[in-house]
Amino acid sequence: MKFSPRWRHFALAALAYATGVNATTITVTSVADSIATGVGCTLRAAIEAANTDTAVGDCPAGSGGDVIAFNIAGAGVHTILPATPLPSVTQSLTIDGYSQPGSAPNTLPAGQGSNAQLRIEIDAANIGNAAALSVVGPAANVTTIRGLAITSSGAAVCCAQRGILLSNVSFVWIQGNFIGIAPDGVTAKGLGAGGVFLSTPTRQVTIGSDAFVPTPLAAEMNVISGNRGPGIQGNGSTANLWIRGNLLGTNAAGVAAVPNVGAGIQMSGILAGNAMWNDNLITHNTISGNLGGVALSESRQIDFSFNRIGVAADGVSPLPNTGRGLDIGDNPFSSPSTTTTVRVANNTIANNTGGGLLIYRANAANTVNGIRLVANALYNNTGYNLDLSATSTSDGPTMNDAGDSDQGANALQNAPNISAVTANGSTLSITWNLATNPSAATFIADFFHSPTCVAGAPVAARTFINSSQITTNAQGNYTGMPTFASALTNGFVVATVTADSSGNSSELSNCFPITSLVQQAVASPAVPVPTTNASFAQVILSLLIGVSALASRQDRDRSALR
């Protein structure tokens, strides 16, 4: 996959072209919902002025690529309560809530939530079956929405009410907003059907940070929580999508649940990105406290990495989703369809009440492969931490088959088998084998540490240890014993394998206990040193006692939980 910010730079150039030297800053000075004169420039009138390049009410005429700023008198939060849906944004535009005096973007580093101060709130309580803000049509390409709290205080909201709707538009940035949660960062004021909805088609959309740095920019983090539907949802034909560095389902501090009543992210139909603009990135988000974590179907070419699912923003404290952490699969009612080339790497998926990671193919006519797993922490989920399934629900561990010819999600890749693990305090040696398709092929094995393993309970992968690249023989078999630098001396080791050419990853292996040579040396009884007066029989007896004690301890250590 490509990791280049080139499309962002192209879009900024396009913005400069679209804006030109005559772009207008239209400043909203009133919370009124009117296009009449004499009440001050309102948000409704400002959007109309930007769309039409004519003066509307007390707002000046736009001139293409305009900026809507805010300067409403008075301290505190200023709430705009439209009586009917606001006009859709149909021309290139920036709506900048952070321009309001007293507003400030988040400054906290990753893992500490958001301290953003929002002073402009759009309350959609009265607009019925509509989005609070809509960006529609190619003429609205290159649009930014930032620094707003988009909420609904209505008790009865309509089934299709959303915070932001994007349709048939490209190059849109949604950054630094609270969507479904009040400006206090605590109180749920959710939209009726969800936070952000991407309608067909959308391209080059960024929700959160687009900065090409290892850690997304804090100032661009959205908090999308408290909605009565998914936090972010799309139902087809979306490409070059970036969802990076957001909080979904938590309060602004990232420590308590403010649930979206739906998945944190629910996307279908993510398409392979145009290589010029980059692929699809869903990275560095905290997705916790929701009715389900993430659901991806009929999608391809996605880098899904460094997300925290079922834990707080600190990446450690439990904050479960009610439901599974991550689902990747097909649409059983759509055939033929393909889900492929999804890299799932360095995520924490833990504590969720419906299981951890499910990769499924529910319709045999569909294709679900190339779901490549790399160094993910999968633990403490109710149900199975990792499952390849032939249905859209978890079906438990898949037994390895001779020749690995069975079919399903990720071709039901056979899992490795671990038969010995020894530690000396500075290194860890793992004896393992793989029996798969009869051909010489390259595989990557990922090894993990788990503090516990209980007979009959799902196997977990708590901490990544290291990986090893191997090649099977012509019969598809491999046996080896890699040694890694490691201070581990107790607990268990588990593994996955991934076929390097196809990207198909397996379920977790058996868990095998670590035998510590250091602990054995400390705990084993010392062999008595006979005196010069001892008989030969006494010497032999002393040696036998010591050897017997050592053998007994090794036998106990080998009573592994498989």
Side-chain angles (χ1 to χ4, degrees), residues 177-198:
N177 303 285
F178 288 6
I179 303 175
I181 190 167
D184 63 10
V186 175
T187 306
K189 296 180 68 175
L191 287 302
V196 179
F197 186 80
L198 286 72

Side-chain angles (χ1 to χ4, degrees), residues 209-420:
S209 179
D210 66 347
F212 185 64
V213 292
T215 302
L217 292 183
E220 297 174 343
M221 172 194 295
N222 298 289
V223 182
I224 306 176
S225 302
N227 295 289
R228 305 173 204 190
I232 300 171
Q233 183 178 11
N235 284 341
S237 193
T238 295
N240 304 118
L241 171 66
W242 284 23
I243 303 174
R244 301 187 68 229
N246 304 287
L247 299 176
L248 295 115
T250 77
N251 62 0
V255 299
V258 184
N260 292 298
V261 186
I265 300 174
Q266 180 178 316
M267 297 295 301
S268 177
I270 296 179
L271 304 179
N274 183 324
M276 182 177 181
W277 310 128
N278 209 305
D279 297 318
N280 303 289
L281 304 181
I282 303 176
T283 73
H284 297 87
N285 303 285
T286 297
I287 309 163
S288 302
N290 304 285
L291 189 63
V294 179
L296 305 175
S297 64
E298 292 185 273
S299 296
R300 62 189 73 190
Q301 207 75 18
I302 302 170
D303 187 87
F304 188 95
S305 59
F306 296 100
N307 297 290
R308 299 167 292 274
I309 304 175
V311 293
D314 63 8
V316 177
S317 304
L319 190 58
N321 292 289
T322 302
R324 206 162 9 253
L326 173 60
D327 283 359
I328 303 175
D330 65 344
N331 180 347
F333 307 106
S334 175
S335 180
S337 71
T338 299
T339 296
T340 189
T341 320
V342 181
R343 180 177 180 267
V344 181
N346 302 104
N347 302 282
T348 296
I349 305 175
N351 311 305
N352 302 287
T353 65
L357 168 55
L358 174 66
I359 303 170
Y360 66 90
R361 189 190 73 176
N363 187 330
N366 292 334
T367 299
V368 178
N369 61 21
I371 315 303
R372 181 183 295 268
L373 308 183
V374 181
N376 299 285
L378 304 164
Y379 63 91
N380 202 38
N381 296 287
T382 303
Y384 296 99
N385 292 298
L386 171 58
D387 191 10
L388 304 182
S389 177
T391 71
S392 57
T393 59
S394 180
D395 60 4
T398 302
M399 298 297 294
N400 287 346
D401 63 308
D404 206 357
S405 59
D406 53 353
Q407 294 298 308
N410 267 7
L412 298 181
Q413 169 62 50
N414 277 358
N417 180 73
I418 300 174
S419 54

Side-chain angles (χ1 to χ4, degrees), residues 141-164:
N141 291 355
V142 194
T143 286
T144 298
I145 299 171
R146 66 189 301 264
L148 300 175
I150 301 174
T151 67
S152 178
S153 61
V157 292
C158 200
C159 55
Q161 183 191 78
R162 293 181 170 90
I164 298 175

